[in-house]
């Protein structure tokens, strides 16, 4: 190796050292560790590929070859020891420079800085995991909602059963039907208890006498509370039908006698309508023929608290939902009489509170001339087919009792044999010859006489009911006054003890007291 080659090698090392120093000056200043060098923990993603490294070295080599041409040939050759020291120093600088270049090349390829993975950082979740999580949350909410709904249903059913149990007690003081809102599911639970004779949550004697209606459209469960007036009208109607039936069976026309013999009376028969709806009329009459008819052909409704509009809706439901199998709906409406009786009872309550009933032992409320009464009427609906559909026909209304309780002549109830038989026979071609039978007629005098007798019994029962209601109110008021006095005495004793012996008795203690739900200021003095 001659002097020229040594000089060239030396100049090459110097140039590399100067180039490395200039590159290092362009990088951010970082403090050099004073301790021993640590292992390189840079992720593999920071390092460049071998191809990128070769390109960087080739660019650096070209720059070195261009710079070498400008170097002066008159430079002195350094000593061998200097060459070795410079080589070692330049090698260390070259190592750090290559690392910096690798970092620069890597950041040049990806402008975003690459971060190391944190094992404690929450990893991104897949869409399937999110869908499952949402599904489980929705399912949990639905389950909780169903559980709350089930508990509410059970509580409502339990409340309704307790209400049914208390009917004998309620009947003594209340007039009018009991209504409760029940969903279809709640009603089915109550119905299973009523229809199951082994279920002892309701006594069997109450189940046998229970009459109720259910309308799914309104979610209404109605417990019927018949009065003595219901029983009187129903008894008169059954008696009249039985007598008329016996007369028709004696007819010389075999067809009329056979039709009359097929009529069956069913007091308080439950009628199953569309869906789970059901009604329990006061009286039903079925016509037994070759074609089995599940529904009666005629029903009787006795209305005491119901209005005419409610009766119209009920009759329309009977006819439409049975598709005309229930041909005739008869109603006796006494709503105006019930309104008058409530006014009479308020007058009776006032007399009892004033003590006027005890002064005259011969007084009888049911015979009091000051009692007011109201009108009563007969309503009849018949099934009619129009354009293939069945609906209730024109209403026939007759007022048979005036405001003073007198019968109105020629306002009797008249029914034909066609009103009692099924549609197929009534609409047959021979109906003109077959059913020329006498009419069933109940006169207005018979109806008014029956109502007057029943009304007397009704007033007698209501007299006892009014006395019981007033006595319960009086006992409740006395109990409230005793409770109020006891609380006042307790408050007085407490405030007196808090006054202490140092306070003069004549000065007393100014404090607050509670009476009738209101606080007021008072001065409490001790006992002398």
């Amino acid at each position: 190796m001659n002097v020229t080659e040594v000089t060239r090698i030396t100049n090459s090392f110097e140039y590399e050292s100067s180039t490395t120093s200039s590159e290092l000056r362009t990088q951010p200043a970082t403090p050099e560790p004073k301790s021993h060098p640590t292992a390189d923990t840079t992720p593999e993603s920071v390092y460049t590929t071998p191809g990128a490294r070769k390109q960087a070295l080739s660019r650096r080599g070209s720059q070195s070859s261009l710079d070498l041409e400008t170097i002066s040939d008159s430079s002195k050759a350094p000593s061998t020891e200097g060459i070795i020291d410079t080589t070692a120093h330049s090698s260390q600088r070259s190592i750090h420079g290559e690392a910096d270049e690798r970092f620069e090349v890597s950041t040049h390829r990806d402008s975003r800085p690459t971060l190391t993975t944190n094992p404690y950082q929450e990893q991104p979740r897949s869409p399937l995991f999110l869908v499952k999580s949402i599904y489980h949350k929705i399912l949990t909410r639905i389950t909780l909602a169903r559980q709350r709904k089930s508990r509410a249903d059970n509580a409502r059913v339990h409340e309704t059963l307790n209400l049914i149990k208390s009917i004998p007690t309620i009947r003594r003081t209340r007039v009018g039907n009991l209504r409760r809102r029940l969903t279809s599911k709640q009603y089915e639970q109550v119905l299973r208890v009523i229809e199951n004779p082994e279920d002892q949550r309701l006594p069997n004697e109450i189940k046998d006498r229970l009459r109720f209606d259910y309308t799914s459209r309104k979610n209404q469960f109605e417990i019927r509370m018949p009065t003595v007036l219901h029983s009187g009208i129903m008894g008169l109607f059954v008696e009249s039908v039985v007598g008329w039936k016996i007369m028709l069976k004696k007819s010389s026309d075999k067809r009329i006698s056979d039709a009359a013999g097929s009529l069956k009376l069913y007091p308080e028969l439950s009628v199953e309508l569309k869906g789970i709806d059901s009604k329990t009329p006061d009286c039903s009459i079925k016509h037994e023929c070759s074609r089995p008819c599940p529904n009666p052909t005629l029903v009787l409704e006795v209305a005491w608290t119901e209005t005419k509009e409610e009766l119209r809706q009920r009759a329309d439901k009977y006819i439409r939902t049975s598709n005309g199998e229930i041909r005739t709906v008869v109603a006796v409406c006494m709503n105006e009489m019930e309104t008058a009786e409530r006014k009479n009872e308020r007058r009776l309550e006032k007399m009892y509170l004033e003590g006027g009933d005890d002064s005259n032992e011969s007084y009888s409320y049911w015979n009091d001339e000051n009692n007011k009464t109201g009108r009563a009427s007969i309503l009849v609906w018949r099934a009619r087919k129009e354009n293939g559909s069945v609906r209730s026909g024109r209403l026939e209304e007759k007022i048979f009792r005036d405001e003073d309780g007198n019968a109105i002549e020629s306002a009797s109830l008249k029914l034909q044999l066609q009103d009692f038989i099924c549609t197929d026979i009534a609409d047959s071609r021979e109906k003109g010859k077959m059913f020329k039978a006498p009419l069933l007629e109940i006169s207005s005098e018979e109806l008014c006489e029956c109502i007057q007798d029943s009304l007397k019994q009704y007033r007698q029962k209501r007299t006892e009911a009014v006395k019981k209601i007033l006595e319960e109110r009086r006992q409740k008021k006395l109990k409230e006054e005793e409770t109020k006095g006891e609380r006042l005495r307790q408050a007085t004793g407490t405030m007196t003890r808090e006054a202490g012996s140092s306070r003069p008795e004549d000065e007393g203690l100014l404090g607050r007291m509670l009476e009738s739900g209101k606080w007021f200021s008072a001065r409490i003095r001790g006992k002398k």
Side-chain angles (χ1 to χ4, degrees):
M1 179 181 297
N2 53 22
V3 178
T4 304
E5 293 176 353
V6 171
T7 302
R8 188 175 295 170
I9 292 172
T10 304
N11 294 334
S12 176
F13 277 107
E14 289 177 355
Y15 176 76
E16 291 178 0
S17 177
S18 63
T19 305
T20 306
S21 300
S22 62
E23 291 176 356
L24 289 173
R25 283 194 298 272
T26 59
Q27 301 295 329
T30 56
E32 294 183 359
K34 296 181 180 180
S35 59
H36 295 286
T38 57
D40 188 8
T41 59
T42 305
E44 295 180 359
S45 60
V46 176
Y47 293 99
T48 61
T49 60
R53 185 182 303 170
K54 289 180 181 180
Q55 293 176 3
L57 291 174
S58 63
R59 288 195 301 269
R60 188 176 61 184
S62 63
Q63 291 176 2
S64 300
S65 62
L66 292 174
D67 294 337
L68 284 173
E69 295 178 357
T70 62
I71 297 176
S72 173
D73 294 337
S74 63
S75 299
K76 289 185 179 183
S79 62
T80 307
E81 291 80 6
I83 294 172
I84 295 172
D85 293 338
T86 305
T87 304
H89 183 71
S90 300
S91 300
Q92 293 179 0
R93 293 287 186 90
S94 178
I95 292 172
H96 291 285
E98 289 180 1
D100 295 336
E101 287 176 357
R102 287 196 297 268
F103 182 78
E104 288 178 359
V105 173
S106 177
T107 56
H108 176 73
R109 295 178 61 191
D110 190 0
S111 60
R112 295 176 299 177
T114 305
L115 301 176
T116 58
T117 304
N118 185 1
Y120 299 101
Q121 185 178 3
E122 185 177 359
Q123 299 296 328
R125 298 176 179 178
S126 63
L128 181 60
F129 177 82
L130 294 176
V131 171
K132 289 183 178 179
S133 176
I134 294 173
Y135 171 76
H136 285 300
K137 288 181 180 179
I138 295 175
L139 187 62
T140 302
R141 289 181 179 273
I142 292 175
T143 303
L144 293 176
R146 287 178 177 175
Q147 291 176 356
R148 289 193 296 268
K149 185 67 168 57
S150 178
R151 289 193 294 269
D153 290 344
N154 293 336
R156 193 63 173 172
V157 169
H158 184 70
E159 178 186 354
T160 304
L161 294 178
N162 289 337
L163 178 66
I164 295 174
K165 287 181 183 179
S166 60
I167 286 178
T169 304
I170 297 174
R171 195 189 301 273
R172 298 173 185 172
T173 57
R174 179 185 172 89
V175 177
N177 298 341
L178 303 175
R179 294 181 175 90
R180 288 292 181 274
R181 289 185 61 85
L182 293 180
T183 63
S184 299
K185 183 179 179 181
Q186 296 169 356
Y187 170 68
E188 289 176 353
Q189 295 181 18
V190 173
L191 189 61
R192 282 196 294 269
V193 176
I194 295 174
E195 294 179 347
N196 186 6
E198 297 180 358
D199 196 327
Q200 296 302 319
R201 281 182 287 181
L202 283 179
N204 290 330
E205 56 270 16
I206 294 180
K207 295 179 182 179
D208 296 337
R209 300 177 58 184
L210 182 63
R211 297 176 56 198
F212 59 89
D213 300 339
Y214 182 72
T215 306
S216 58
R217 184 175 59 86
K218 299 180 180 179
N219 287 338
Q220 179 174 288
F221 179 72
E222 183 175 2
I223 302 174
R224 295 206 174 193
M225 303 282 286
T227 63
V228 64
L229 290 158
H230 290 76
S231 302
I233 296 295
M234 187 175 61
L236 174 63
F237 181 77
V238 170
E239 182 181 354
S240 301
V241 171
V242 170
W244 177 67
K245 177 182 174 181
I246 294 174
M247 181 187 66
L248 293 182
K249 288 176 67 176
K250 297 178 180 180
S251 175
S252 58
D253 191 337
K254 186 176 182 303
R255 293 171 296 182
I256 295 178
S257 61
D258 292 343
S262 63
L263 301 180
K264 305 295 181 182
L265 280 79
Y266 295 93
E268 302 178 359
L269 174 67
S270 179
V271 179
E272 303 297 331
L273 302 175
K274 185 178 181 180
I276 61 175
D277 291 8
S278 64
K279 300 288 184 184
T280 309
D282 294 290
C283 185
S284 303
I285 297 179
K286 296 184 68 174
H287 173 236
E288 296 183 356
C289 59
S290 58
R291 187 175 67 89
C293 299
N295 293 313
T297 54
L298 184 143
V299 295
L300 171 69
E301 290 281 356
V302 180
W304 179 246
T305 58
E306 295 86 351
T307 62
K308 292 182 180 179
E309 178 60 23
E310 291 175 344
L311 290 173
R312 185 197 64 78
Q313 295 177 2
R314 185 173 298 179
D316 187 65
K317 191 173 184 64
Y318 275 129
I319 294 173
R320 284 191 302 103
T321 56
S322 66
N323 198 23
E325 291 182 358
I326 300 178
R327 293 178 52 82
T328 310
V329 178
V330 180
V332 178
C333 182
M334 298 179 288
N335 180 259
E336 295 184 14
M337 293 176 56
E338 190 271 338
T339 303
E341 290 302 318
R342 280 191 281 111
K343 294 180 180 179
N344 295 335
E345 289 178 10
R346 285 196 292 269
R347 183 176 57 84
L348 180 64
E349 290 178 3
K350 186 177 180 181
M351 291 176 58
Y352 279 126
L353 292 176
E354 294 176 353
D357 60 310
D358 298 332
S359 60
N360 189 3
E361 297 180 357
S362 61
Y363 172 79
S364 59
Y365 164 69
W366 50 92
N367 292 325
D368 192 345
E369 295 181 354
N370 295 323
N371 288 334
K372 303 296 182 180
T373 188
R375 299 182 303 175
S377 57
I378 300 172
L379 310 175
V380 180
W381 293 269
R382 291 183 174 89
R384 177 179 296 178
K385 288 186 178 181
E386 290 183 0
N387 299 327
S389 60
V390 180
R391 66 179 185 87
S392 57
R394 184 174 59 88
L395 168 64
E396 296 181 8
E397 181 178 3
K398 295 180 180 180
I399 300 175
F400 65 90
R401 188 176 189 268
D402 61 13
E403 296 178 353
D404 297 327
N406 301 319
I408 299 177
E409 298 181 359
S410 69
S412 58
L413 173 62
K414 297 180 180 181
L415 297 174
Q416 303 174 358
L417 185 57
Q418 289 91 329
D419 297 328
F420 294 84
I421 59 177
C422 63
T423 307
D424 294 340
I425 300 177
D427 294 340
S428 63
R429 296 179 180 178
E430 299 180 351
K431 64 179 181 179
K433 299 179 181 179
M434 185 176 179
F435 298 116
K436 287 184 178 180
L439 300 176
L440 170 63
E441 183 175 0
I442 303 177
S443 64
S444 58
E445 289 78 7
E446 293 177 312
L447 288 170
C448 289
E449 183 180 356
C450 175
I451 289 176
Q452 194 63 29
D453 294 340
S454 301
L455 187 59
K456 181 179 179 179
Q457 300 180 34
Y458 175 83
R459 288 175 176 173
Q460 290 175 350
K461 291 184 177 181
R462 290 304 300 167
T463 301
E464 300 299 327
V466 169
K467 288 182 179 180
K468 185 175 180 180
I469 292 172
L470 292 178
E471 183 63 25
E472 289 178 354
R473 292 178 184 175
R474 187 177 298 145
Q475 294 296 332
K476 184 178 179 180
K477 186 176 181 181
L478 291 175
K479 188 175 181 180
E480 290 178 353
E481 291 178 353
E482 291 178 358
T483 304
K484 189 188 300 182
E486 182 65 24
R487 290 178 180 176
L488 183 60
R489 287 192 294 270
Q490 291 178 0
T492 303
T494 302
M495 297 177 69
T496 303
R497 288 193 298 270
E498 291 178 355
S501 58
S502 60
R503 185 178 296 275
E505 294 184 357
D506 56 349
E507 181 180 356
L509 176 65
L510 181 64
R512 303 275 293 173
M513 297 183 62
L514 179 66
E515 183 176 359
S516 301
K518 296 181 180 180
W519 288 94
F520 64 95
S521 300
R523 187 173 296 279
I524 310 300
R525 292 183 173 85
K527 297 180 180 180
K528 296 182 179 181

